[in-house]
Amino acid sequence: MLRKIIFLSFVLALIACQRRSYYRPTGEENEVIFICDAIPDKIALLDTLINDTFYTPHESPLFRINPISYQQFITYINYKNIVIFSFKDSPNEEFYKRVFPSLRTGVFYRYNVFSQGDIVIGIYAPTKDSALKLLREYAPTIKEKLLENYSRFLEEKEYFLGVDKKLTKKLLKSHGFTFKLSPGWVYRVHEPNFFTLYKHYPDRFIFCYTHEHEKPYDPKYLMKLRDSLTTLFYDGDSILKSTVKVDTIGIRNIPAIILVGAWQNDKNTLGGGFINISFNRNGKFYMLDYGIYYPQIQDKIEYILRGLIIFKSIRFSDEH
């Protein structure tokens, strides 16, 4: 009991001083600390509800979820993403109350609680069953909030050295659209409707293809089109189709098809991950592709998401 009182006092002191100073966040950007000692039989539930797995080509989870008890939290107090599951008279109710004092039923979130830039999400209800129902019901929202925080940290890493404004302006003038790019990207035009960008450490490469007429939003067609382009311009690269996940996304309020998976080059015995986004705009077709070659690591999802961040920064010359 004394240990519990000391621990809660320490947490309270940290929350009380948060406005005066912040601790530096630790842990990986996609690590999620799930304080779930109230449901020891369901510690994998959050992972089941919100996680995705990508193959780039190795298995890469979107989030790495670590279930813990509130007594273990001292070890993870400066992590970037924290989820607290609680209900009335649960083992961690007092701990939950220190972060979300009102004890209202629902799903809540706060930022900058224990460290600069962290997000703490709380799930609370009068009973365990009603709290579990909340968790299941709001899983998409919880995933969205965690992904937003994850992406914000990745954006800081991507643009840590600033933005290459000269290249940004050059792309806009030459192609009618551009991206927010960090320094170090090398630009090359292959054909009027096809250009590439590449960067080392690790090796990353972007291609942009446009066509004067719209193309179908058919994933199989788009994979075939990508293979035809990479066969020509990437020395025979092709998609490992069994790894591809397909989704839809909005790019500046334009519906787009997104492909994520692995690319391979049998000729050169190479492979890696890629993200591909295709959309039609004002009667014109755009295909944006970002690849990564980094055999030293298996989990490449960070770089895939950094490619998505670049593509989401797209802007067009006819925008005001």
Side-chain angles (χ1 to χ4, degrees), residues 256-307:
I257 296 292
I258 180 170
L259 311 173
V260 179
W263 63 269
Q264 60 187 1
N265 189 306
D266 295 334
K267 176 182 174 181
N268 298 313
T269 322
L270 300 172
F274 79 93
I275 180 169
N276 180 287
I277 295 176
S278 300
F279 58 91
N280 296 308
R281 179 183 184 272
N282 295 343
K284 190 174 182 178
F285 174 76
Y286 296 80
M287 176 175 278
L288 317 174
D289 192 276
Y290 173 106
I292 171 82
Y293 175 68
Y294 197 179
Q296 291 85 353
I297 65 168
Q298 291 192 3
D299 190 347
K300 300 178 178 65
I301 192 63
E302 171 187 327
Y303 290 97
I304 298 298
L305 289 177
R306 284 167 70 168

Side-chain angles (χ1 to χ4, degrees), residues 169 171-178 212 251-252 254 279-284 286 314-320:
K169 291 179 181 178
L171 292 179
L172 188 63
K173 182 178 180 180
S174 300
H175 304 284
F177 65 95
T178 191
E212 292 306 315
I251 296 290
R252 301 189 76 81
I254 303 166
F279 58 91
N280 296 308
R281 179 183 184 272
N282 295 343
K284 190 174 182 178
Y286 296 80
I314 193 171
R315 63 186 180 90
F316 300 89
S317 57
D318 60 0
E319 293 178 321
H320 301 289

Side-chain angles (χ1 to χ4, degrees), residues 43-189:
I43 61 173
L45 182 59
L46 185 65
D47 185 79
T48 302
L49 291 173
I50 73 167
N51 221 346
D52 287 321
T53 301
F54 299 92
Y55 297 89
T56 61
H58 299 286
E59 183 176 312
S60 298
L62 179 61
F63 300 111
R64 296 192 175 275
I65 300 174
N66 187 1
I68 67 167
S69 67
Y70 80 91
Q71 293 100 332
Q72 296 172 294
F73 181 62
I74 189 66
T75 305
Y76 304 94
I77 198 164
N78 291 333
Y79 276 56
K80 301 173 179 69
N81 309 291
I82 300 162
V83 177
I84 311 171
F85 179 92
S86 188
F87 53 89
K88 185 173 177 58
D89 297 326
S90 66
N92 61 22
E93 184 184 26
E94 189 64 28
F95 171 78
Y96 178 93
K97 186 178 178 180
R98 300 297 185 182
V99 184
F100 298 97
S102 68
L103 288 185
R104 290 181 294 141
T105 297
V107 177
F108 309 94
Y109 60 92
R110 292 179 58 192
Y111 293 99
N112 306 316
V113 177
F114 300 106
S115 61
Q116 180 66 48
D118 72 3
I119 182 172
V120 181
I121 298 175
I123 301 113
Y124 185 85
T127 67
K128 182 170 84 169
D129 287 343
S130 56
L132 286 170
K133 183 179 179 181
L134 276 176
L135 178 57
R136 292 187 176 96
E137 182 179 351
Y138 284 91
T141 302
I142 293 169
K143 179 180 180 179
E144 180 183 357
K145 290 297 179 183
L146 291 171
L147 185 56
E148 284 177 0
N149 206 49
Y150 181 12
S151 298
R152 184 175 56 79
F153 278 108
L154 292 185
E155 186 170 4
E156 290 177 3
K157 291 175 78 171
E158 181 64 29
Y159 299 112
F160 177 73
L161 296 177
V163 176
D164 189 337
K165 294 183 179 180
K166 184 177 179 180
L167 179 56
T168 297
K169 291 179 181 178
K170 188 173 185 178
L171 292 179
L172 188 63
K173 182 178 180 180
S174 300
H175 304 284
F177 65 95
T178 191
F179 309 105
K180 183 180 176 183
L181 296 165
S182 58
W185 288 96
V186 178
Y187 164 60
R188 180 184 175 191
V189 177

Side-chain angles (χ1 to χ4, degrees), residues 185 198-205 263 290-295:
W185 288 96
Y198 63 89
K199 188 175 186 178
H200 296 302
Y201 312 113
D203 291 335
R204 287 155 285 167
F205 26 89
W263 63 269
Y290 173 106
I292 171 82
Y293 175 68
Y294 197 179

